[in-house]
Amino acid sequence: MAKEKTIITCAITGAIHTPTMSDALPYTPDDIARQAVDAAAAGASILHLHARRPHDGGVSIDPKDFAAFLPRIKQATDAVINISTGGSLKNTIEERIGPALTFSPEMCSMNMGSMNFSFHPLAERYSSFKFDWEKDYIANSDTYIFRNTFADIGNAARQLAPHGIKFEHECYDVGHLYNLKFCMDIGLFKAPIFIQFIFGILGGIGPEVDNLIFMKRTADRLFGKDYRWSVLGAGGAQMPLAATASQMGGNVRVGLEDSLFIRRGKLAASNAEQVAKIRRIIEDLGCEVATPDEAREVLDLKGGDKVQF
């Protein structure tokens, strides 16, 4: 059997990093659209998208902010659009699924468990900030609980089910895989599922290769052939874990949401630069990169003609 091609997801802006941390981090609609299109041109077949407040870069889950860039990206590229349901750590699940309900994308994220999700150590790295909200948002993240109860997951899954959306099941630790298996057993999700193994977030599993092997082995036992998988390594783990995953038969995620750097000590100039780097690594190691339509076939997506933007 021919080896499946590697799907590259690019997470364009996220909800962790703030404008002070990198001039390359996009937060206006123009910048988000431009960087998303450029990332697709560089080889990303899936674009994972959050919205930001255009005036100060704060996290937004307002559908109006998504509407300012979603149609522009769709018109300029055939990449799969994946809308986050993570939003801000301070929002309820009802608020967080609002954009996905509004725009009915081909994919959206689905976090598979509650956790302490913190990035407060970043506050110590900066003596001043571009915008007033940034310091407190970062420093106070040690008080955040990223809530994703079974009731929350079930609520989101049932409301989004009529839209035919494929979920990117974000699993920050091995227990989240068991949560996902339980949810499949009660009929919330159907195979084939797509799992994003996430490593290196404070509050989740660490970014060691042993942990990747353990997560993969556990998923094999729980889901057999009924799943596809990808790896997200936060910060400095981004490229090493992505390269390792590609050689293990998995898919990869890069982007400024997950790391602001292109190599140790050097900020990335754009999302596209990260995509181009991981594509070069993947191809140099003998793998091929999937096109958007190939990703749609592998993940059994509904198609770009069935979205509402």
Side-chain angles (χ1 to χ4, degrees):
M1 182 179 295
K3 184 177 180 181
E4 287 183 352
K5 296 182 179 180
T6 304
I7 298 169
I8 299 175
T9 295
C10 186
I12 302 299
T13 189
I16 297 176
H17 297 126
T18 69
T20 294
M21 298 177 186
S22 172
D23 291 337
L25 184 72
Y27 61 85
T28 68
D30 286 348
D31 286 345
I32 291 173
R34 175 179 54 80
Q35 287 216 36
V37 172
D38 289 349
S45 53
I46 300 175
L47 300 171
H48 176 90
L49 297 169
H50 291 244
R52 298 274 186 150
R53 298 191 299 260
H55 63 283
D56 68 358
V59 180
S60 173
I61 54 171
D62 187 338
K64 292 180 181 177
D65 288 327
F66 281 89
F69 57 77
L70 285 176
R72 296 162 63 181
I73 296 170
K74 187 175 187 296
Q75 289 166 8
T77 176
D78 65 345
V80 175
I81 301 299
N82 175 335
I83 293 179
S84 172
T85 65
S88 169
L89 301 180
K90 299 179 180 181
N91 295 116
T92 67
I93 191 66
E94 286 287 350
E95 294 168 332
R96 285 159 40 198
I97 66 175
L101 287 172
T102 300
F103 298 109
S104 191
E106 291 185 79
M107 297 185 71
C108 71
S109 61
M110 176 69 74
N111 296 278
M112 293 311 301
S114 300
M115 59 184 292
N116 294 336
F117 190 120
S118 187
F119 41 95
H120 66 279
L122 295 176
E124 303 300 323
R125 300 184 186 180
Y126 306 92
S127 58
S128 61
F129 292 87
K130 292 180 180 179
F131 299 106
D132 291 341
W133 66 270
E134 294 182 69
K135 183 176 181 178
D136 287 345
Y137 176 75
I138 300 164
N140 293 335
S141 64
D142 61 353
T143 69
Y144 298 160
I145 294 176
F146 190 19
R147 174 179 160 147
N148 297 284
T149 66
F150 285 112
D152 292 337
I153 294 167
N155 183 15
R158 284 185 284 269
Q159 288 195 61
L160 293 168
H163 292 265
I165 295 170
K166 175 68 68 174
F167 297 108
E168 173 198 13
H169 293 284
E170 296 191 337
C171 294
Y172 293 78
D173 215 330
V174 67
H176 292 179
L177 296 173
Y178 286 89
N179 292 351
L180 176 55
K181 179 62 164 62
F182 170 79
C183 290
M184 290 188 71
D185 287 345
I186 64 173
L188 285 179
F189 308 116
K190 297 180 180 179
I193 54 172
F194 182 56
I195 302 175
Q196 190 72 253
F197 298 141
I198 300 176
F199 303 91
I201 296 293
L202 183 58
I205 200 168
E208 292 79 28
V209 172
D210 280 351
N211 286 336
L212 167 55
I213 294 170
F214 179 48
M215 292 279 279
K216 173 65 167 57
R217 185 184 303 139
T218 302
D220 286 344
R221 183 172 64 253
L222 293 176
F223 307 111
K225 297 180 179 180
D226 289 338
Y227 83 106
R228 300 293 181 269
W229 62 284
S230 176
V231 163
L232 181 175
Q238 183 184 70
M239 293 296 169
L241 281 183
T244 302
S246 73
Q247 291 301 290
M248 291 173 61
N251 304 290
V252 303
R253 175 171 141 175
V254 296
L256 296 179
E257 171 174 352
D258 306 329
S259 173
L260 295 174
F261 293 84
I262 191 63
R263 61 176 180 270
R264 184 175 295 277
K266 182 176 176 56
L267 291 169
S270 67
N271 282 280
E273 186 180 22
Q274 291 184 343
V275 173
K277 179 174 181 175
I278 194 58
R279 179 175 189 167
R280 184 170 65 251
I281 291 170
I282 288 168
E283 292 178 340
D284 284 351
L285 291 173
C287 298
E288 293 184 75
V289 171
T291 66
D293 283 342
E294 288 169 338
R296 288 183 173 96
E297 182 176 359
V298 168
L299 300 179
D300 191 28
L301 304 185
K302 66 180 181 180
D305 59 328
K306 295 180 175 63
V307 301
Q308 295 176 12
F309 56 90

